[in-house]
Amino acid sequence: MTDPKRLAEIKELLSSNEALGIICYNKHHNQKKISITKLSELLKIPFAKLKETCAKLEEKALIKVNKFGQDNEIELIENENDDIKSVVDEVIWEQKQEYGRIYKRLITAELLDFMEGGK
């Protein structure tokens, strides 16, 4: 059982738009690693703000940030901890409107990228 105070801190951190974007991308793609630069472009979130959130998530051992050339890649740690999984699900449910907006923004950006690539 994980400490309730730690779970509350994780829940608050995961409720940010940046963390919701990371969760959304991970849930709807089969990739294990995500480029911070690409995610920043797709979600229209400033790179520095996304990188700052990633550092906080890494402190809580929720993600691992790997240096990849000049970019960084986020690797979500597949946590077997059911408490963490339930917190993620709870955050998605409580933030469902914002999560939906992020999902829509993500899908729209990917569609535009696909359409531009087909020219």
Side-chain angles (χ1 to χ4, degrees):
M1 181 103 190
T2 305
D3 176 32
K5 183 180 177 188
R6 181 174 184 270
L7 288 178
E9 291 171 357
I10 289 170
K11 184 176 177 182
E12 182 180 341
L13 181 58
L14 291 176
S15 295
S16 72
N17 286 345
E18 298 80 23
L20 283 172
I22 293 168
I23 293 168
C24 185
Y25 189 91
N26 185 57
K27 289 242 180 237
H28 299 287
H29 290 79
N30 291 329
Q31 295 174 295
K32 292 291 181 193
K33 295 183 180 181
I34 308 163
S35 164
I36 294 178
T37 302
K38 180 177 179 171
L39 195 58
S40 172
E41 291 169 2
L42 288 173
L43 297 174
K44 309 287 188 250
I45 296 173
F47 179 82
K49 196 169 185 180
L50 191 57
K51 193 171 179 183
E52 179 183 319
T53 299
C54 289
K56 291 176 184 176
L57 290 170
E58 190 172 33
E59 283 177 16
K60 300 288 183 192
L62 300 173
I63 66 169
K64 183 177 178 184
V65 178
N66 301 309
K67 187 81 172 154
F68 187 71
Q70 298 214 340
D71 194 9
N72 291 316
E73 284 186 334
I74 305 166
E75 183 177 354
L76 279 99
I77 298 172
E78 296 298 325
N79 201 330
E80 295 301 316
N81 187 335
D82 288 334
D83 290 337
I84 300 297
K85 288 178 183 180
S86 67
V87 168
V88 170
D89 292 340
E90 194 175 318
V91 166
I92 291 170
W93 178 251
E94 289 176 2
Q95 302 292 326
K96 61 185 168 243
Q97 288 182 325
E98 186 59 33
Y99 186 86
R101 281 191 281 274
I102 290 169
Y103 180 73
K104 183 179 177 182
R105 198 176 328 148
L106 183 63
I107 295 303
T108 302
E110 289 177 338
L111 177 62
L112 290 173
D113 280 352
F114 175 76
M115 291 172 61
E116 289 174 2
K119 289 183 181 179

